[in-house]
Each structure stands twice: as C-alpha cells, then as structure tokens.
C-alpha cells in the first residue's frame, strides 16, 4: 500500500514539474511550442512526456484544473458563518490575488488559457466534477440540497462567469490595472442586482441625447 | 458572383440537412452513432459527410452555433427602447420557448450538447465571435463601448451562465417542468441582486436550528 502511494506521489510530482515547464514555455512563446521542446526543457524524453500527458492540450487542461482546485480550497476555507454569495465571491477574489512581480506571467498564462479555450483542440470547459464541488460547498452555506434548489448552481455559475469576463479583459490589457478591484466591482454589480443597470443605461442614454 | 452564391446556398442547405439528421440520431441514440450511420440516414456517402464536417464533434458545434445565432437574432429584434438587461433576458427566454410537442426532443438534444461539452473531443465553449455579437448589441443598449466598459460583457456572460444552469437542470429532469418559468425565476434573482440571497440563507439556516 505504502509503495503504491509513493509511486503515485512521485508521478504527481513529475506531472507537476512538466506542467510548470510547459506552461512557462507556452506563456513565453505561445501554444506552438512542440512536445520535444517541452520535454527537453523538463529534462525528459518526449516518450516520457506522453506517458503523463497524451496531448499538449492536456497540459493546459491540467493547469486550468489546478486553478479551479485552488478556488475550491479557498471556498472551503471561508468562515462557516459567511453567506454563500459572499463566501464564493471572497474565494474568487482570493484566487485572483497575486504578487505584483507575478502579474506579467499570470497575464501570459491567461493568454494561453484563452487561446486554448477558443481553439477546438485545446477546448476546455471547466471540469464538471470541480464545478460540482463548488456547488455543494455553496449549497451547504445556503442550508439546502443542490439537487432540489437551483440557487447554488446559479450563484457559482454567474460569479465564475463574471470573474472570467473580468480576467479575460485584464489579460487582453496585458495584465495592466488592478484585477482584484475590477472583480470586486463586477461582484458589487451582481450583489446590487442587474435591474439597476437598465435604469442607469436609460439615464445615460437620455443625457447623451 | 451569382454562381458562387448559389453554390454556397446549396452547400449550406446540405450542411443544414446533415446537421438535422445527425442531431436527431444523436438525440435518439447518443454520440456513439457512427458517421456511416449518419451518412446513410442523410442519403449521402461518408466521404460527402466529411466534406461538410471534419468530425462528428463539428456537427454538435454547428448545432450549438445555430442555437446561439437564434439568441443573437432574438436580441437584435427586441424593441429599441428596452434596457440592456431586460432585452438580453427576454431574448434568452424567447429562445427557451418551445411547443409542448418539441420538449422531449429538445431535452434529448440538450443531453447530447451537455455530453459533448464534458467530453474533450467534442468540447465546445461558445464561439467567441457570437458572444462578441451579443456583447456589442448589449453595449449599444447601454450607450457605451464594450471596449472600455466591462458591464455589457458581464451582463451577457452571467445571463447566459444562469440560463445554462437552468437548462442543464431541466435536461437532467428529462425536460419535465416549465423551462421558461424556471429561467424567469433565475433572471429575477439576478435582477434583484445576489446580496439578498445571503440574507435569505442566514434566515433559513437559523430557522433550521
């Protein structure tokens, strides 16, 4: 039993290292980097690379999984008495927080993830099991079952959708500007309700006339 | 010029017919249906099928594109004086409206689309150009540019995300229940604002104690 666990731990460590090296190369040079180049940079053979990742796209997917796993952990770690919406929002903000020196790299990785998303071969909606984990955590805070109540699923989906839009715009700006503040503003909009936006739009259009 | 257009029109008509036949087969029997079976049902050769769709997944993607294209048209057709949020919401509701006799088929097609989404090979986030068309239409109603204002992109993303969750739950229930009413309820929640949900969650948890 212990032997198997050790082997799995070693396997995970190698996969993590390949992922790190590959994402760095993608961030620096785009998705055209070849498997041979990734393998060389990681100090392994292409054959070994394929034992861990059947395709380059699987590396991108693994990286996206890791980011969502961080979100799941951040949500699970929020105080027990925090409401479902606030907890989900704060977890999302926490995962968007970064050291100033990491900005450029995060923006480049964001470009790779966005490119991977629009490219059929790398296409990656989020892992349904990870989304389910978030929905279950939010449902607990609602005190309801996600099987019968649609609200937890909707809260998770709309907060992630808003965060994705804000992150995508930040990536397009090359990581300039305060990502966390922009996300907080978007979440504030959702908190206050979309109905208010129509009123604001009506006013600003009348002024423009 | 006219000759080329005619050829394109004929090509589109054939592609539409293949898509219709394939989606019906997928809905009836799942994604395992072979290209040979689709081709036979459409009265063409497998070779011809591949001239129109490189893979089975491309048929599913084409179908998803058609659904979003309907949403774009519905949004463009909303009254000019309607606010951005309401217009997007009503367009989404209009595309969810169906004749009672179509329910079972729509639910089955929904299963195929959901299966296609979680399966890497068929994975399909929405077409970025179609989403951009929606965002531009919503930005016009805001009287702002989507390049500088994040609100139109957020409104489109969160309304589509909420609609997707509700549709997915309806599909899981085999198309039972009123899809449009469930969507309207979700949109009402977004209109009123997520902040209210935390208050409701707090109350219902306190009562449960």
């Amino acid at each position: 039993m212990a032997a198997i666990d050790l082997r799995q731990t070693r396997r995970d460590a190698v996969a993590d290292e390949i992922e790190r090296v590959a994402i760095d190369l993608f961030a620096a040079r785009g998705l055209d980097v070849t498997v041979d180049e990734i393998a060389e940079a990681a100090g392994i053979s292409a054959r070994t690379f394929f034992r861990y990742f059947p395709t380059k796209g699987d590396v991108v997917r693994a990286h996206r999984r890791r980011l969502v796993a961080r979100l799941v952990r951040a949500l699970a770690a929020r105080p027990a008495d925090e409401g479902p919406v606030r907890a989900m929002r704060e977890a999302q903000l926490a995962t968007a927080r970064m050291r100033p020196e990491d900005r450029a790299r995060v923006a480049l990785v964001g470009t790779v993830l966005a490119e991977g998303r629009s490219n059929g071969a790398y296409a990656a909606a989020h892992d349904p099991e990870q989304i389910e984990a978030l929905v279950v955590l939010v449902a607990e805070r609602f005190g309801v079952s996600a099987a019968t109540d649609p609200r937890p699923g909707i809260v998770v989906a709309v907060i992630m959708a808003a965060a994705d839009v804000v992150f995508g715009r930040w990536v397009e700006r090359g990581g300039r500007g305060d990502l966390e503040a922009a996300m907080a503003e978007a979440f504030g909009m959702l908190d206050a309700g979309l109905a208010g936006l129509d009123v604001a739009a009506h006013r600003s259009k009348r002024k423009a006339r």
Side-chain angles (χ1 to χ4, degrees), chain A residues 53-132:
Chain A
F53 298 101
T55 69
K56 273 195 298 179
D58 289 306
V59 182
V60 176
R61 264 190 291 278
H63 191 68
R64 197 189 300 273
R65 268 190 68 82
R66 181 190 298 271
L67 296 177
V68 180
R70 235 164 76 185
L71 177 60
V72 174
R73 282 197 306 273
L75 178 57
R78 297 301 308 169
D81 61 348
E82 207 168 59
V85 174
R86 172 137 192 214
M88 178 68 194
R89 198 180 61 192
E90 292 298 321
Q92 189 71 256
L93 288 173
T95 61
R97 212 159 285 151
M98 69 191 92
R99 294 173 305 176
E101 62 266 36
D102 288 340
R103 278 189 175 202
R105 184 174 177 278
V106 173
L108 284 169
V109 171
T111 312
V112 173
L113 292 177
E115 195 182 333
R117 194 184 311 213
S118 57
N119 174 333
Y122 293 89
H126 293 296
D127 177 340
E129 280 179 32
Q130 288 190 306
I131 300 299
E132 189 53 28

Side-chain angles (χ1 to χ4, degrees), chain A residues 73-200:
Chain A
R73 282 197 306 273
L75 178 57
R78 297 301 308 169
D81 61 348
E82 207 168 59
V85 174
R86 172 137 192 214
M88 178 68 194
R89 198 180 61 192
E90 292 298 321
Q92 189 71 256
L93 288 173
T95 61
R97 212 159 285 151
M98 69 191 92
R99 294 173 305 176
E101 62 266 36
D102 288 340
R103 278 189 175 202
R105 184 174 177 278
V106 173
L108 284 169
V109 171
T111 312
V112 173
L113 292 177
E115 195 182 333
R117 194 184 311 213
S118 57
N119 174 333
Y122 293 89
H126 293 296
D127 177 340
E129 280 179 32
Q130 288 190 306
I131 300 299
E132 189 53 28
L134 291 168
V135 172
V136 166
L137 286 169
V138 167
E140 279 168 14
R141 285 173 192 273
F142 265 112
V144 301
S145 155
T148 51
D149 194 317
R151 293 176 302 169
I154 294 170
V155 164
V156 167
V158 301
I159 288 180
M160 289 186 80
D164 274 356
V165 169
V166 172
F167 182 67
R169 294 175 66 93
W170 180 82
V171 165
E172 275 173 21
R173 290 195 307 270
R176 272 182 296 278
D178 187 337
L179 174 61
E180 209 185 321
M183 268 190 198
E185 197 175 324
F187 295 156
M189 203 172 95
L190 295 183
D191 262 358
L194 299 186
L197 295 179
D198 279 354
V199 179

